[in-house]
Amino acid sequence: MIEVKNLYKYYHMPRKKFFSKETSIKAVNGVSFTLRKGETFGLVGESGSGKSTTGEIIVQLIKQTSGQVLYKGKDVSKFNALQLKVWRRKVQIVFQDPYASLNPKKTVQWILREPLIIHKIGNRREQDKRIIDMLHDVGLDESFLKRYPHELSGGQRQRVVIAAALILHPEFVVIDEGVSALDVSVQAQILNLLKALQKKYRLTYLFISHDLNVVQYFCDRIAVMYLGEIVEMGTVSDLDEPKHPYTKALFSSIPTRDVNTSETVLSGEVPSASAIPEGCPFHTRCPFVQERCKHEKPVKHELTTEHTVRCHLYD
Amino acid sequence: MVEPILDVKDLDVSFTFPDGQYKAIDSLSFTVHSNEVVGIVGESGCGKTLTSLAIMGMLPDNASITNGSICFRHKRHLVSLSEKEWQSIRGRAISMIFQEPMTALNPVYPVGKQISEVLIKHTKQSRKAIKEQTIQLMKQVGLPRAEALYHSYPHQLSGGMRQRIVIAMALIGEPDLIIADEPTTALDVTIQSQIIQLFRKLKQEKKVSMLFISHDWGVLSQVCDRVLVLYAGQLVETGPISRLVDEPLHPYTKGLIRSIPDRAKRGEPLYTIPGRVPPLKERHRGCPFYDRCRERMEICRTVRPKTVNIKEQMVQCHLYTEEMDVPSS
């Protein structure tokens, strides 16, 4: 349904001295994947890996430096204002902090009505009905209409944010760390709700998260990002047996109940995105590093039609 | 039996509002022994952080200890100390590590200076000795290139490095007890596991005792010996971490553990605890968990359950009585 092709996003840093070379931060560095209708596609990685930037480019909150986002074969970055408005009805984004996404001075009813007014949907009576239906869908009721965000608990706020995202009946929703700020008990409620709504409205999710437990539970396919690149991608069961050294390290870093787990702790930290190592970006931390990894960039290998990995070990 | 380092008995902490006093922590009792790491879990608003603030004597102005005692090394009653006496305890005898290292550090001083500042406060040494000791400490917590990092500012460091600096500062006074409030929550998993290894090393080598607050059962399993489960300011269950994870007794603990998503639960809806933690002003007399419990009985509404010992676990729930040896699932 949505195809992302060779996406790049560079941020240019101001020069420190007049003659110094211009530096740039490579936030997204050649990302390609496709989203299929009705699936949940997970994007994981550590902070600074470019997963949020990718999500924001897809909904065109920011423009890419180069590359394309194709919706039904059309490039969304070339849309004119009118086409963009139609596109915005079809894609929505849910952010991490529900409190920051809701206007504190407006009631829940106003928040849910605003998108309907902007897109000129229905008269007031029809809008009211749609708002109430939506509230029921997310597990709230009419008594919330006149409340303000500060009167709601964290879980209720996130429900309102989801309601606001879905009120235009989008096809595609980007969930950027949408459950990360919640307690586990509330997180479970919201995850169940998202699954139920996905079934009801045939939604496609791009689920961005750093919480690997949640991603492994919730997604159909997963892409693992490191320094702006997808290093491994596959179905969730493919990723149960990760192939890329980074994915292996990442998944084995999840703290588990088993205290005696081997200590495959990744040493060091993610290098800065303004100084991405030459060759394979992971070679500075990789336990299986070879000489060629330092100079030669690994290409994408298809292990199966679904499962791809970018590493010299699979040459 | 050895005397515990920290002994909290029947602790009540109440908030005073214009319309009355409300108990946020309700008859909480627990102990921490030497070289033991005790975890505290619970949802937000259950009193985890408030408990640690009460022990540190840093309660907000409108909160106060209304009942009970906090004994530290069995002689000092922390409840009735003057501000001056507190200063000799904080940092030296008990120190604290917070969740967000950026807010715990001063952004306009180099980190090395901030560590030595604590050393100057607590020891009488020459400048050179202090600097050497600071660098020694920075190496101990696993910071690379400690000499160079000595002069960097907090914003130049990554989250993991900042957290190591904060841990180094907490270790300076060689405290008998370290309170860590969600010390790994803000970190990426790979960095989190590095910090967990550091805590385990400190426990083994420096024999520290810790009170470790977290909501992540995986992290707790990695570092804790025993765990306290708090709900609405009350201790509902406690026991060795492995017992709690494998065979939780209290319906709340069961709910918390069963609602964690993982790959094994793929495809099926997650278990949820309905509702939310009752706000401070809406807590009633009976069992605090009554409104959300799936196994509630009539008695739970009005009578607060007593604490029952079952094997190594302690649970506060009407489902269990003292005679029961094997829990009925």
Side-chain angles (χ1 to χ4, degrees):
Chain A
M1 189 179 75
I2 291 174
E3 202 179 347
V4 175
K5 263 190 185 165
N6 284 325
L7 212 57
Y8 287 86
K9 177 72 189 176
Y10 289 178
Y11 290 100
H12 293 287
M13 300 293 285
R15 268 177 238 200
K16 285 198 177 127
K17 285 181 193 139
F18 189 74
F19 289 110
S20 68
K21 232 173 93 185
E22 200 170 62
T23 52
S24 57
I25 291 179
K26 296 169 181 163
V28 178
N29 212 356
V31 162
S32 308
F33 57 86
T34 48
L35 293 164
R36 301 171 196 152
K37 181 132 189 78
E39 77 168 345
T40 305
F41 188 83
L43 215 49
V44 293
E46 294 177 89
S47 14
S49 60
K51 46 193 198 310
S52 291
T53 312
T54 308
E56 282 167 22
I57 292 172
I58 291 175
V59 299
Q60 290 290 298
L61 285 178
I62 48 179
K63 292 267 179 205
Q64 65 268 42
T65 309
S66 70
Q68 293 173 309
V69 178
L70 302 175
Y71 171 70
K72 292 185 179 157
K74 276 179 241 149
D75 189 349
V76 297
S77 63
K78 301 218 167 71
F79 280 173
N80 61 31
L82 196 71
Q83 285 170 312
L84 205 56
K85 197 171 165 185
V86 177
W87 165 245
R88 288 262 155 82
R89 252 175 88 168
K90 295 193 177 126
V91 292
Q92 289 292 329
I93 185 161
V94 172
F95 293 102
Q96 171 168 11
D97 182 357
Y99 200 65
S101 329
L102 297 171
N103 187 336
K105 291 167 84 177
K106 301 293 184 187
T107 61
V108 169
Q109 186 173 28
W110 188 94
I111 289 166
L112 295 183
R113 194 192 299 281
E114 193 191 18
L116 297 175
I117 294 172
I118 291 172
H119 289 279
K120 302 195 177 73
I121 293 168
N123 58 29
R124 240 184 134 72
R125 276 230 333 270
E126 287 160 7
Q127 287 177 356
D128 281 337
K129 185 170 177 304
R130 193 147 164 183
I131 290 167
I132 289 167
D133 286 347
M134 201 65 240
L135 279 177
H136 286 292
D137 276 346
V138 296
L140 302 173
D141 58 39
E142 290 89 337
S143 67
F144 286 89
L145 284 174
K146 295 288 173 210
R147 295 211 209 165
Y148 290 89
H150 72 90
E151 295 174 288
L152 309 174
S153 70
Q156 289 167 345
R157 265 180 227 145
Q158 197 59 292
R159 285 169 195 270
V160 172
V161 171
I162 292 169
L166 296 187
I167 194 121
L168 293 169
H169 296 168
E171 294 175 9
F172 171 62
V173 184
V174 177
I175 303 165
D176 190 353
E177 301 280 8
V179 296
S180 307
L182 306 169
D183 277 317
V184 270
S185 57
V186 182
Q187 175 180 292
Q189 292 171 13
I190 299 289
L191 287 174
N192 285 345
L193 173 69
L194 287 171
K195 267 272 179 279
L197 291 170
Q198 180 170 40
K199 245 191 197 146
K200 182 167 179 184
Y201 291 106
R202 305 241 312 121
L203 292 167
T204 308
Y205 289 142
L206 177 67
F207 193 84
I208 299 170
S209 179
H210 69 277
D211 189 330
L212 299 162
N213 280 327
V214 175
V215 170
Q216 287 189 319
Y217 163 75
F218 193 70
C219 299
D220 304 316
R221 288 195 301 145
I222 299 178
V224 181
M225 287 187 75
Y226 187 76
L227 283 174
E229 286 178 29
I230 291 179
V231 294
E232 185 167 2
M233 175 158 69
T235 64
V236 70
S237 37
D238 288 337
L239 273 274
D240 282 347
E241 285 157 35
K243 292 286 183 273
H244 196 284
Y246 177 63
T247 321
K248 281 184 192 165
L250 193 65
F251 283 6
S252 67
S253 307
I254 308 173
T256 55
R257 291 159 41 182
D258 187 6
V259 187
N260 305 317
T261 40
S262 60
E263 304 189 4
T264 24
V265 181
L266 218 47
S267 59
E269 312 206 351
V270 186
S272 156
S274 61
I276 294 179
E278 238 181 276
C280 172
F282 186 57
H283 85 251
T284 51
R285 297 170 85 195
C286 184
F288 308 104
V289 62
Q290 303 161 355
E291 196 46 42
R292 63 188 295 208
C293 304
K294 294 176 186 165
H295 319 289
E296 214 179 303
K297 212 175 164 87
V299 291
K300 197 157 82 178
H301 294 287
E302 288 194 3
L303 301 175
T304 65
T305 45
E306 292 284 353
H307 195 172
T308 59
V309 62
R310 211 182 256 272
C311 179
H312 284 309
L313 288 177
Y314 300 93
D315 283 351
Chain B
M1 184 136 180
V2 207
E3 288 279 352
I5 282 198
L6 181 77
D7 190 359
V8 176
K9 270 208 185 85
D10 301 318
L11 183 74
D12 284 0
V13 177
S14 306
F15 278 98
T16 312
F17 292 113
D19 58 339
Q21 250 192 359
Y22 298 93
K23 264 189 208 171
I25 290 174
D26 199 342
S27 2
L28 177 66
S29 302
F30 68 91
T31 55
V32 180
H33 288 269
S34 176
N35 198 18
E36 187 183 37
V37 179
V38 176
I40 303 185
V41 269
E43 292 166 273
S44 11
C46 284
K48 305 190 295 277
T49 300
L50 202 62
T51 307
S52 60
L53 292 181
I55 297 167
M56 288 294 275
M58 301 199 300
L59 286 173
D61 285 341
N62 61 342
S64 59
I65 294 173
T66 41
N67 188 29
S69 65
I70 303 173
C71 287
F72 180 64
R73 282 192 297 195
H74 67 87
K75 43 184 188 275
R76 292 210 240 191
H77 284 261
L78 296 185
V79 173
S80 51
L81 289 185
S82 69
E83 195 53 34
K84 191 139 195 171
E85 289 170 294
W86 266 119
Q87 282 177 12
S88 71
I89 290 197
R90 285 189 207 128
R92 196 169 306 182
I94 309 179
S95 62
M96 194 154 176
I97 299 166
F98 293 94
Q99 172 171 359
E100 189 23 84
M102 195 64 203
T103 50
L105 293 170
N106 190 333
V108 298
Y109 287 105
V111 288
K113 257 217 163 96
Q114 296 190 47
I115 301 176
S116 12
E117 191 188 335
V118 190
L119 274 173
I120 294 164
K121 191 98 187 153
H122 289 289
T123 57
K124 287 197 180 80
Q125 293 179 63
S126 72
R127 241 170 225 221
K128 217 178 136 204
I130 281 178
K131 187 170 175 186
E132 262 166 31
Q133 209 184 330
T134 305
I135 288 171
Q136 196 57 40
L137 262 166
M138 289 168 76
K139 282 183 178 154
Q140 248 177 46
V141 295
L143 281 164
R145 297 178 292 115
E147 285 87 356
L149 284 179
Y150 185 91
H151 299 287
S152 357
Y153 290 87
H155 73 93
Q156 295 172 314
L157 307 181
S158 67
M161 284 162 139
R162 275 183 224 135
Q163 197 58 287
R164 285 176 200 267
I165 299 278
V166 174
I167 294 169
M169 287 167 77
L171 289 175
I172 288 174
E174 305 210 323
D176 298 306
L177 179 70
I178 297 175
I179 302 177
D181 190 351
E182 304 263 11
T184 63
T185 309
L187 307 172
D188 278 317
V189 270
T190 57
I191 308 298
Q192 172 172 277
S193 77
Q194 290 172 10
I195 299 286
I196 288 173
Q197 294 298 340
L198 174 62
F199 277 124
R200 289 172 65 167
K201 192 181 113 191
L202 291 175
K203 188 189 172 219
Q204 244 163 38
E205 291 172 9
K206 294 216 141 197
K207 305 284 173 219
V208 293
S209 314
M210 271 178 53
L211 201 56
F212 195 97
I213 300 175
S214 178
H215 64 271
D216 187 327
W217 286 93
V219 176
L220 289 169
S221 304
Q222 295 284 323
V223 286
C224 295
D225 302 305
R226 222 148 40 81
V227 171
L228 318 167
V229 184
L230 286 191
Y231 183 75
Q234 299 183 19
L235 182 62
V236 294
E237 185 169 359
T238 168
I241 172 78
S242 53
R243 297 279 308 158
L244 248 60
V245 174
D246 292 333
E247 267 178 69
L249 297 175
H250 198 282
Y252 179 59
T253 320
K254 285 183 200 166
L256 280 184
I257 287 177
R258 287 173 64 185
S259 55
I260 306 169
D262 68 35
R263 59 168 91 170
K265 296 170 187 159
R266 212 174 275 162
E268 49 186 288
L270 286 171
Y271 181 91
T272 60
I273 307 174
R276 58 171 171 141
V277 184
L280 208 48
K281 298 184 182 179
E282 292 165 26
R283 293 179 183 175
H284 45 71
R285 278 185 306 143
C287 173
F289 193 54
Y290 175 77
D291 296 322
R292 304 172 73 189
C293 187
R294 294 185 183 219
E295 298 171 61
R296 65 183 173 200
M297 301 174 286
E298 187 46 38
I299 185 174
C300 306
R301 196 166 57 86
T302 47
V303 184
R304 187 168 158 183
K306 287 200 179 64
T307 308
V308 178
N309 282 302
I310 293 174
K311 288 184 187 160
E312 302 152 278
Q313 272 153 293
M314 272 191 334
V315 60
Q316 194 191 70
C317 179
H318 283 302
L319 289 173
Y320 305 96
T321 51
E322 201 73 66
E323 298 86 60
M324 286 165 74
D325 218 18
V326 185
S328 61
S329 119

